[in-house]
């Protein structure tokens, strides 16, 4: 049995948003989502099961993890230990090459890499769907980062509490880019789980969102398969802003936007008026991510860099699946 493994996973950005859970315990999504896995950004996670450890030792970006982060990592490791029939604790070291926990999908690539490295290190010969289901239990968007290219995470369950993401089209299906306008390097104030649970409890628009989201997903999916960028961008912007509208109507409101977010949204509209195909999506953080044709990425990045408050841009291109390798103990 191998005891040490290292995995690399990429973040993904949803164009049809997941926002809302059937219930917190199973972490099954209430709505279907569709994302693009990106290259250009990655999380690398090494997991070493070590009988000498009294407890899991978790390091994130070179520093000991907070108690809350370490608990989420141990919850995933506990599932792996239960499946492998072992009680051995693990040393986990995870590094992101992009801002952590600020709505830049670090939990997606983080839990995808952790699920893959931990199952391999524990000697479990699981297929990608099973690893995706494991990652989903920690962060639903992480289920999608197991796969490359365009990926669907359906709503509900496929088996008894089982739900895995499914690859829809490979990375080379379409030459598009997602230009991330980085607004802050710091952590967001309200995490996605807290944000969606608060919306479910208090937003009068939550039920409307859950009812409307499947049609938005269907529109995004059809536009993607038809390689119709204007239809995809329009549908993706609608999904993202409807998700934020749901949380803005919560009591009190969850506001992920900062002034730079609105300035960036305005810039995207200006680009469209100037004839550049550019559409925005926003997750549980202040960054605006701009969908455009691959050939327009440099021009879009330049325009977004000029927006006051944008620190820098990252040009995300369609990226590959998460990968894992065994390491010598
Ligand atoms: O996977 P979580 O629990 O971090 O939630 C992700 C939620 C959004 O990023 C806002 C939307 C999505 O589908 O990725």
């Amino acid at each position: 049995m191998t005891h040490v493994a290292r995995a690399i996973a990429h973040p993904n950005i949803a164009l049809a948003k997941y926002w809302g859970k059937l219930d917190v315990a199973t972490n099954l999504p209430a709505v279907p989502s569709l994302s693009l896995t990106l290259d250009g950004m990655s999380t690398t996670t090494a997991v070493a099961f070590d009988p000498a450890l009294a407890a899991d030792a978790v390091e994130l970006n070179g520093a000991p993890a907070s108690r809350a982060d370490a608990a989420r990592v141990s919850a995933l490791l506990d599932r792996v230990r239960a499946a492998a029939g072992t009680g051995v604790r693990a040393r986990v070291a995870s590094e992101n090459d992009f801002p952590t926990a600020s709505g830049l999908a670090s939990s997606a690539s983080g839990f995808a890499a952790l699920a893959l490295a931990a199952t391999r290190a524990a000697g479990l010969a699981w297929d990608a769907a099973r690893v995706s289901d494991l990652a989903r239990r920690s962060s639903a968007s992480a289920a999608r980062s197991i796969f490359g290219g365009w990926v669907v995470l359906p709503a509900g369950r496929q088996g008894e509490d089982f739900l895995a993401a499914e690859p829809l089209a490979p990375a080379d299906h379409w030459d598009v880019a997602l230009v991330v306008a980085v607004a802050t390097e710091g952590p967001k104030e309200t995490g996605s789980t807290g944000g969606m649970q608060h919306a479910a409890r208090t937003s009068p628009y939550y039920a409307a969102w859950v009812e409307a989201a499947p049609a938005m997903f269907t529109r995004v999916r059809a536009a993607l398969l038809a390689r119709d960028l204007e239809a995809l961008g329009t549908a993706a912007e609608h999904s993202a802003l409807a998700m934020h509208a749901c949380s803005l109507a919560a009591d009190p409101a969850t506001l992920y936007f900062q002034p730079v977010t609105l300035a960036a949204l305005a810039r995207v509209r200006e680009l469209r008026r100037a004839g550049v195909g550019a559409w925005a999506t926003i997750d549980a953080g202040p960054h605006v991510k701009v969908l455009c044709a691959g050939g327009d990425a440099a021009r879009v990045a330049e325009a977004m860099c000029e927006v006051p408050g944008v620190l820098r841009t990252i040009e995300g291109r369609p990226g590959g699946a998460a990968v894992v390798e065994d390491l010598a103990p």
Side-chain angles (χ1 to χ4, degrees), residues 17-283:
K17 298 296 185 197
Y18 149 62
W19 197 248
K21 302 173 193 295
L22 286 186
D23 69 84
V24 177
T26 58
N27 207 37
L28 290 162
V31 300
S33 56
L34 194 160
S35 61
L36 176 62
T37 299
L38 303 180
D39 74 352
M41 292 185 258
S42 59
T43 301
T44 302
T45 301
V47 175
F49 286 100
D50 181 350
L53 291 171
D56 294 324
V58 183
E59 212 177 72
L60 298 181
N61 294 315
S66 69
R67 197 182 282 253
D69 286 344
R72 286 184 78 188
V73 168
S74 286
L76 187 150
L77 293 172
D78 285 343
R79 293 193 173 97
V80 172
R81 282 187 280 260
T86 170
V88 175
R89 304 287 129 181
R91 189 172 294 109
V92 175
S94 186
E95 301 265 351
N96 287 329
D97 61 4
F98 58 94
T100 302
S102 57
L104 258 186
S106 62
S107 71
S109 51
F111 284 107
L114 178 66
L116 198 53
T119 47
R120 176 67 76 95
L124 297 170
W126 284 9
D127 64 10
R130 239 175 133 184
V131 177
S132 173
D133 170 71
L134 172 68
R136 178 198 58 73
R137 291 165 195 263
S138 296
S139 165
S141 59
R144 301 186 308 237
S145 276
I146 295 298
F147 300 99
W150 303 87
V151 183
V152 165
L153 180 64
R157 44 172 72 74
Q158 289 157 335
E160 195 189 336
D161 291 350
F162 183 94
L163 180 73
E166 297 160 355
L168 178 66
D172 64 5
H173 169 73
W174 199 6
D175 178 23
V176 300
L178 270 165
V179 176
V180 182
V182 179
T184 169
E185 308 282 358
K188 60 193 169 192
E189 283 169 25
T190 306
S192 43
T193 294
M196 53 184 98
Q197 286 311 102
H198 180 59
R201 273 194 305 270
T202 68
S203 174
Y205 298 169
Y206 180 75
W209 158 255
V210 171
E211 195 187 319
M216 295 180 199
F217 164 83
T218 301
R219 222 174 122 195
V220 165
R221 187 177 184 281
L224 162 72
L225 293 175
R227 295 192 186 86
D228 181 338
L229 192 58
E230 181 167 7
L232 178 65
T234 305
E237 233 181 67
H238 184 216
S239 169
L241 293 176
M243 170 199 125
H244 283 277
C246 167
S247 278
L248 281 170
D251 184 17
T254 306
L255 178 61
Y256 290 105
F257 297 177
Q258 289 178 9
V260 56
T261 314
L262 290 178
L265 275 179
R267 191 76 185 91
V268 169
R269 285 169 188 225
E270 265 171 40
L271 278 169
R272 284 211 292 272
R273 278 196 296 274
V276 181
W279 291 269
T281 187
I282 309 165
D283 292 294

